Amino acid sequence: MNIIAELRHDFPVLSQSIEGQPLIYLDSGATSQKPQCVIDEINDFYSKNNSNVHRGLHSLSENATSKYEYVRTQLAKFLSVNSKEVVWTSGATESLNIIASGVTCDLNSQDIILISALEHHANIVPWQQAAQESGAKIAIMPINKQGILDIPAAIAMIEDLKPKVMACTHASNTLGNINPIAKLIDAAKKVNAITVIDGAQAFLHLRPNLSQLDCDFYVGSAHKALGPTGLGFLYGKFDKLNALSVFKTGGEMIDKVTYESSSYREAPAKFEPGTPNISGVLGFGAAINYLNKLDPIVLHQYEQTLYSYCLNQLQAIDGIIIYGDTQNNIGTISFNYRDEHHYDIAMLLNSYGIALRSGHHCTQPLIAELGIQGTLRVSLAFYNSHNDIDTFITALKSSIKLIAG
Ligand code: PMP
């Protein structure tokens, strides 16, 4: 555990003060903090190696290209897939848009797109667009009162509706629930559905093995996994990936262009037109390197210990209502205090240096199903400490006292 406590010092942001108080960062679900090695890598690129990739024959460009492509192999290894199945995107949002728009031409008015009630807007709105354009219908895998996915009902829906697409989040950004996606993928494969998993929240905490999961598509965002913003990935089984229609067009993704028409290259180039986020990719490479040096089991155990520590103390406060699955969770706690507005408590907590998120967390349908306006959300990562939680709980108790008078 002491080794983990040391890791905190790798994250320079964490050593500052907010409102005169030491920063307590409990918002890793929104974006993770970045270790110094990631910041250094980006700085190095611009100060020593800046050049475009896949274009120049000069050494600087060749160097940038080989580093850029090396990170693709690093990520592929991390996910246990082949590197030609990994596309760089601007984030999980863009990845989901590429998939939804890429399958739209194969959908018709008889088809069902099945998503869960726990989805982030990024895994709802692109499907609504696909449904509008194709005439397909969207159906929702339900949750129970606590906000946990009803797996028997979800599997029955997959078997009965035989959806063309089954899209589900690996872990809920609002509640932290880890969904048993292997079961959903297995059931969906039996009815030949295209399986799409949103791994934006799961990537850092669960280190998914995609060759085991065997889904068709899996997406994530670098910034939620110690990397920079503006970068994400789209994994797709090679044949499924190539079968998607193109999303954006331009340079580099083409095979041959005449004034009349163009032909496209195979994945991943097919989905990477224009100059990519080179510094972002290199920074993410440093993040993956950093993660590869840490034992995932030790990290996971530590995060779970922190989670239980925080959960127990929250549960002990009279009037706190906690939502979601507290048994299978990535370390994210959504809660309210009686019927007080989440916004007021979040503002007070900020004055104690506590950074957490409040609101609907880009899951308005889920929040509506829970019958609330929003929640306060603590989302933990391995660089948090027990002291962070003690400080947060003390500040929360003081905030409640102020609010409740
Ligand atoms: N899915 C989930 C579950 C998320 O938490 C997020 C980000 N909050 C996204 C998708 C979208 O990620 P990004 O904003 O990085 O594209």
Side-chain angles (χ1 to χ4, degrees), residues 294-349:
L294 305 174
D295 181 338
I297 296 169
V298 174
L299 278 197
H300 186 71
Q301 279 169 354
Y302 176 73
E303 284 185 346
Q304 290 294 307
T305 310
L306 271 187
Y307 170 69
S308 304
Y309 185 68
C310 187
L311 186 68
N312 290 340
Q313 294 196 63
L314 275 173
Q315 281 169 333
I317 301 173
D318 193 30
I320 291 285
I321 309 152
I322 290 166
Y323 309 93
D325 188 346
T326 52
Q327 300 303 309
N328 298 296
N329 198 295
I330 52 168
T332 293
I333 309 172
S334 247
F335 67 97
N336 275 314
Y337 174 70
R338 302 195 193 281
D339 55 3
E340 296 296 340
H341 202 279
H342 49 83
Y343 179 87
D344 298 331
I345 298 180
M347 287 297 284
L348 280 170
L349 285 171

Side-chain angles (χ1 to χ4, degrees), residues 323 336 366-375:
Y323 309 93
N336 275 314
L366 167 63
I367 292 293
E369 284 226 17
L370 294 172
I372 52 180
Q373 302 294 313
T375 69

